[in-house]
Amino acid sequence: TIIPITVNGNKEQIFKNLRKTVIPTVKTDAEVKVGYNGESYSLSAGTFQMPEIAFKAGDNVLTFEGNANVIVEYQEAGL
């Protein structure tokens, strides 16, 4: 699953996942803050996989703050 997101200020995005936990890849072209489960992470431009952001079964919400083009990529895990 590849989800492009344009962040201009604040943005909230829901990511659906099946049963198995998966760590998404987050790509950004500029500095952006990413929020997940009450924690906030500052990312510079680049590509990241962070164990702190692990999608569980069901809906997973990420919040973004900044001005950037972000791509979140993950394999919806159903094994």
Side-chain angles (χ1 to χ4, degrees):
T1 303
I2 300 171
I3 302 187
I5 304 158
T6 301
V7 181
N8 291 313
N10 294 309
K11 175 96 176 181
E12 181 177 284
Q13 182 76 39
I14 297 173
F15 300 88
K16 295 190 179 294
N17 191 37
L18 299 175
R19 293 184 295 268
K20 190 175 177 185
T21 299
V22 63
I23 297 172
T25 299
V26 179
K27 300 176 186 176
T28 178
D29 66 356
E31 186 175 335
V32 68
K33 274 190 180 177
V34 179
Y36 181 68
N37 281 346
E39 298 293 329
S40 182
Y41 308 95
S42 293
L43 304 180
S44 57
T47 301
F48 304 90
Q49 272 195 313
M50 301 170 51
E52 298 87 356
I53 299 176
F55 291 169
K56 297 175 177 30
D59 291 346
N60 295 272
V61 178
L62 290 183
T63 58
F64 300 92
E65 184 180 332
N67 292 294
N69 294 303
V70 177
I71 296 173
V72 178
E73 186 172 349
Y74 66 104
Q75 177 68 45
E76 290 183 63
L79 297 176

